Amino acid sequence: MKTVKKKRLSEMVADEIKQYIKNENLTTGDRLPAAAELMSALGIGRSTLREALQLLESQDIVEVLNGKGTFIKDAKPFYIRTAFDVENEKKFLLDALDVRTALEGKAVDLAVHKATSKDISIMRQFLSDYVDHIKEGEREQANRADAGFHRALYEAANNPLLTSIIDSVWDTFHQFWNEPFGQDDIFNQSYPFHEALLEAIQKRDTVAAADSFQKMMESVKTSIEKYRE
């Protein structure tokens, strides 16, 4: 029998909103229904809706503008829809890591040459937030900060098609990377390589960036392989 992985209510709500966007053929710039209407239609409270929208914001699907509403940010014209029946989570994560290494490795290579000072600043802030949340024991917020760092890295690559492809894989794998094996701290050991990677990107050092990224991926791989299901 395969392990059943519990899904957060906010994640299910985010999926429902994505399905709504698809069914209504909403595109970039279109506005979602008001919060009160969404809460009523979905039968949820304000805090759950807020968490769902934060998740969709982290995936660059929507943008929440205070006092104005929630708008579609990226219609993902190149979105690749994938689905997996995960019977062996460890094997799935290792296969996913291979895909991530290939795609994100290219993003790193491009970011070394294309990252702006603003890109660097955004990534640095996410790493700072990650450390602060870890110190406070706020694992969910720390995971969001880590996700924000990687998404900022993809943006720094300045290749919309690559970013869209990465986004499509990210959406599919999110629930597994967020808490693999039901644990929320399995990838803590990879943090120092994030710092080294950012420093290499800032210095435009291709070799050091590639080395830091490879060490980061090896750390993640080791964490997955040594976990006993």
Side-chain angles (χ1 to χ4, degrees), residues 187-205:
F187 299 139
N188 280 0
Q189 298 303 315
S190 70
Y191 170 76
F193 304 118
H194 290 66
E195 290 280 7
L197 173 60
L198 180 57
E199 182 178 352
I201 291 175
Q202 185 171 14
K203 292 180 178 179
R204 309 293 184 190
D205 189 331

Side-chain angles (χ1 to χ4, degrees), residues 18-42:
K18 283 191 283 188
Q19 189 63 44
Y20 173 84
I21 292 172
K22 177 184 176 183
N23 292 344
E24 297 297 319
N25 294 315
L26 300 185
T27 187
T28 303
D30 287 343
R31 181 178 177 177
L32 285 178
E37 185 177 343
L38 287 173
M39 288 187 292
S40 176
L42 295 167

Side-chain angles (χ1 to χ4, degrees), residues 6-18 42-59 140 144 174-175 178-179:
K6 185 178 180 180
K7 200 171 188 179
R8 289 191 178 92
L9 178 58
S10 58
E11 292 177 334
M12 292 188 286
V13 171
D15 288 342
E16 285 296 322
I17 294 175
K18 283 191 283 188
L42 295 167
I44 57 173
R46 188 171 298 276
S47 61
T48 299
L49 177 62
R50 182 170 57 249
E51 290 177 7
L53 292 178
Q54 287 174 343
L55 175 57
L56 293 174
E57 273 195 300
S58 74
Q59 297 172 355
E140 186 171 352
R144 288 178 182 169
H174 173 76
Q175 61 179 313
N178 191 40
E179 289 189 6

Side-chain angles (χ1 to χ4, degrees), residues 5 7 11 15 18 55 59 79-86 89 91-104 151 154 165-180 187:
K5 188 174 182 64
K7 200 171 188 179
E11 292 177 334
D15 288 342
K18 283 191 283 188
L55 175 57
Q59 297 172 355
Y79 194 84
I80 299 173
R81 302 193 180 276
T82 53
F84 298 90
D85 180 17
V86 185
E89 187 170 359
K91 183 180 186 304
F92 175 87
L93 287 169
L94 291 172
D95 288 345
L97 184 63
D98 287 340
V99 175
R100 177 182 172 184
T101 300
L103 295 175
E104 194 168 329
R151 193 159 296 279
Y154 308 150
I165 293 172
I166 290 174
D167 279 347
S168 70
V169 178
W170 183 279
D171 289 347
T172 301
F173 294 163
H174 173 76
Q175 61 179 313
F176 300 100
W177 286 118
N178 191 40
E179 289 189 6
F187 299 139

